């Protein structure tokens, strides 16, 4: 039984796939299996995977008969995993040198927790790299639960910055749903259910920021899937009374997440934004726990679409005024603002 099962779903990434696979197979820690899932990719991904499997026995390839999407492709790999721990690596991302050794050592230090959270860095098409700005949250030495250290949930709630004890995943039946944002109904239930979580303050993965081709940066109604994904999270909580105290947190997180999608210019077709807002507002009202505080950014969800648009327009106008004021001050054109405090804009 290997220490790790690394599951890599593949779809239309032939330009990045070799680098991804090499980053795993070139690890100094070799006790792993790599389960690559060809999600009926129309490019050469399948052939590349077969090539790697032909020369390295640690590579197992699954060719799916039809395209099922990222989450379901990960599910297809799960029954074939035999490792103590599961890692999910997207096929355009890469492990850093020594990552698996560092993860293995930290797991040993912390006596095999249910989940180990590690750090990542974003890598850009133009060559830049930027570390996770919340890396300091991973400096915690002790094993913990989410209740004991809720700050861990401030990290990006994705599947690929964690190692999961396979028996823990099997015991609770965790699986990915179809659709966009499939990480949401995996990571929240996993993190809230785990009895032992550990952290590793080391960059173990490079998260590629593609100039184009990123699914979540595609303008589409598929972004409405976020509502179904949070419904799955709330359904999970409904069946587990011991997690009821998390409802206010997740209620607010759902509102913030949906508003973030709505605010991004490349996600929703303009004609669908009003519908997205209204659906989010209905969901926000439906799942609001009794006595839950609603203020700050999410307060707009208690109002109308028109009110939201006016707020956004006011914020944009305020930011434009700040830029003009700063420009005049930089060039010496006109009177300078009296103080930096005058430039504060509430968004």
């Amino acid at each position: 039984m290997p220490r790790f099962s690394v599951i890599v779903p593949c779809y239309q990434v032939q330009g990045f796939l070799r680098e991804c696979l090499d980053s795993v197979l070139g690890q100094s820690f070799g006790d792993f299996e790599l389960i690559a899932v060809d999600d009926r990719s129309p490019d050469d991904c399948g052939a590349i995977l077969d090539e790697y499997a032909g020369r390295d026995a640690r590579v197992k390839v699954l060719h799916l008969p039809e395209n099922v999407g990222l989450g379901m492709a990960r599910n297809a790999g799960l029954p074939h995993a035999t490792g103590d721990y599961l890692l999910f690596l997207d096929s355009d991302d890469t492990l850093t040198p020594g990552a698996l050794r560092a993860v293995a050592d930290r797991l040993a230090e912390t006596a095999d927790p249910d989940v180990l959270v590690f750090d990542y860095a974003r890598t850009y098409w133009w060559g830049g790299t930027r570390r996770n700005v919340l890396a300091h949250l991973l400096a915690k030495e002790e094993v913990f639960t989410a209740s004991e250290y809720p700050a861990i949930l401030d990290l990006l709630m994705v599947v690929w910055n964690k190692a999961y004890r396979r028996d823990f995943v099997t015991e609770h039946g965790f699986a990915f749903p179809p659709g966009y944002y499939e990480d949401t109904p995996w990571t929240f239930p996993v993190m809230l259910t785990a009895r032992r979580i550990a952290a590793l303050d080391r960059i173990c993965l490079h998260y590629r920021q593609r100039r184009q081709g990123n699914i979540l940066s595609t303008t589409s109604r598929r972004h409405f899937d976020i509502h179904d994904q949070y419904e799955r999270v709330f359904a999970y909580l409904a069946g587990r009374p011991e997690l009821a105290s998390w409802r206010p947190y997740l209620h607010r997180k759902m509102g913030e997440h949906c508003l973030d999608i709505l605010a991004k210019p490349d996600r929703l077709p303009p004609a669908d934004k009003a519908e997205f807002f209204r659906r989010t507002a209905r969901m926000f009202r439906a799942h609001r726990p009794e006595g839950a505080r609603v203020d700050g950014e999410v307060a707009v969800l208690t109002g109308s679409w028109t009110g939201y648009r006016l707020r956004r327009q006011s914020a944009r106008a305020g930011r434009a005024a700040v830029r003009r004021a700063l420009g005049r001050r930089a060039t010496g054109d006109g009177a300078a603002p009296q103080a930096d405090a005058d430039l504060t804009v509430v968004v």
Side-chain angles (χ1 to χ4, degrees):
M1 179 185 297
R3 187 58 165 159
F4 298 116
S5 295
V6 184
I7 298 177
V8 183
C10 306
Y11 184 76
Q12 286 191 330
V13 287
Q14 64 178 22
F16 307 112
L17 184 54
R18 291 181 185 276
E19 184 180 1
C20 172
L21 299 176
D22 289 342
S23 78
V24 180
L25 298 176
Q27 291 286 311
S28 59
F29 183 91
D31 188 16
F32 65 84
E33 60 185 2
L34 194 163
I35 302 172
V37 183
D38 171 20
D39 189 17
R40 193 67 175 179
S41 186
D43 58 8
D44 288 335
C45 283
I48 293 171
L49 295 178
D50 289 340
E51 173 194 329
Y52 274 75
R55 63 175 190 245
D56 194 318
R58 294 174 297 179
V59 180
K60 303 177 182 178
V61 179
L62 305 177
H63 295 283
L64 301 186
E66 60 182 0
N67 175 252
V68 295
L70 181 57
M72 304 302 282
R74 290 171 181 153
N75 287 345
L78 281 172
H80 299 271
T82 62
D84 297 328
Y85 279 83
L86 304 168
L87 288 93
F88 298 95
L89 178 64
D90 288 353
S91 48
D92 54 353
D93 296 337
T94 56
L95 295 182
T96 60
L100 291 185
R101 167 56 64 188
V103 171
D105 289 347
R106 183 62 176 151
L107 290 173
E109 289 174 3
T110 52
D112 285 3
D114 295 329
V115 182
L116 175 69
V117 187
F118 49 80
D119 202 11
Y120 67 94
R122 297 174 188 264
T123 60
Y124 295 86
W125 67 91
W126 40 266
T129 300
R130 181 167 62 90
R131 189 175 186 179
N132 168 25
V133 297
L134 297 176
H136 61 278
L137 296 176
L138 297 171
K140 192 172 181 65
E141 290 293 329
E142 304 84 6
V143 174
F144 53 88
T145 64
S147 295
E148 293 166 341
Y149 189 49
I152 197 68
L153 300 180
D154 292 337
L155 294 169
L156 191 62
M157 281 288 102
V158 290
V159 65
W160 41 255
N161 63 348
K162 303 172 184 71
Y164 310 86
R165 189 166 58 82
R166 185 167 59 88
D167 287 348
F168 165 68
V169 170
T170 301
E171 174 190 353
H172 293 280
F174 294 123
F176 295 92
Y180 282 15
Y181 305 100
E182 76 293 329
D183 286 8
T184 297
W186 169 282
T187 52
F188 281 120
V190 163
M191 294 296 285
L192 299 183
T193 303
R195 293 178 291 273
R196 302 182 70 249
I197 304 171
L200 173 60
D201 185 12
R202 184 192 191 279
I203 295 174
C204 294
L205 181 141
H206 282 149
Y207 174 34
R208 189 186 301 272
Q209 305 295 286
R210 292 161 65 177
R211 188 170 189 174
Q212 56 186 5
N214 185 334
I215 289 175
L216 291 186
S217 294
T218 302
T219 303
S220 166
R221 281 186 61 88
R222 294 287 302 277
H223 295 283
F224 279 77
D225 289 354
I226 190 64
H227 300 118
D228 289 339
Q229 306 299 19
Y230 272 101
E231 289 289 3
R232 292 181 172 101
V233 174
F234 286 118
Y236 184 84
L237 261 63
R240 292 160 181 82
E242 70 276 12
L243 298 180
S245 62
W246 285 104
R247 289 187 64 84
Y249 170 85
L250 289 168
H251 173 253
R252 188 177 192 91
K253 181 65 70 173
M254 179 273 292
E256 292 172 347
H257 196 168
C258 291
L259 287 173
D260 181 63
I261 294 168
L262 182 60
K264 284 184 164 54
D266 58 354
R267 299 291 175 92
L268 293 161
D272 294 327
K273 289 190 173 185
E275 179 187 351
F276 185 91
F277 175 88
R278 293 183 181 113
R279 189 176 298 184
T280 300
R282 286 197 300 270
M283 187 174 173
F284 191 75
R285 290 192 297 270
H287 288 287
R288 181 179 178 179
E290 184 177 353
R293 183 170 54 89
V294 176
D295 56 8
E297 178 188 9
V298 297
V300 298
L301 292 171
T302 63
S304 66
W305 164 244
T306 300
Y308 168 81
R309 290 183 64 194
L310 290 173
R311 182 183 174 91
R312 293 280 299 171
Q313 290 167 3
S314 176
R316 284 194 293 268
R319 289 193 294 268
V322 168
R323 288 193 293 270
R324 289 194 298 271
L326 290 173
R328 288 195 301 271
R329 183 165 62 177
T331 61
D333 180 19
Q338 294 180 0
D340 287 344
D342 295 336
L343 302 180
T344 301
V345 176
V346 179
V347 179

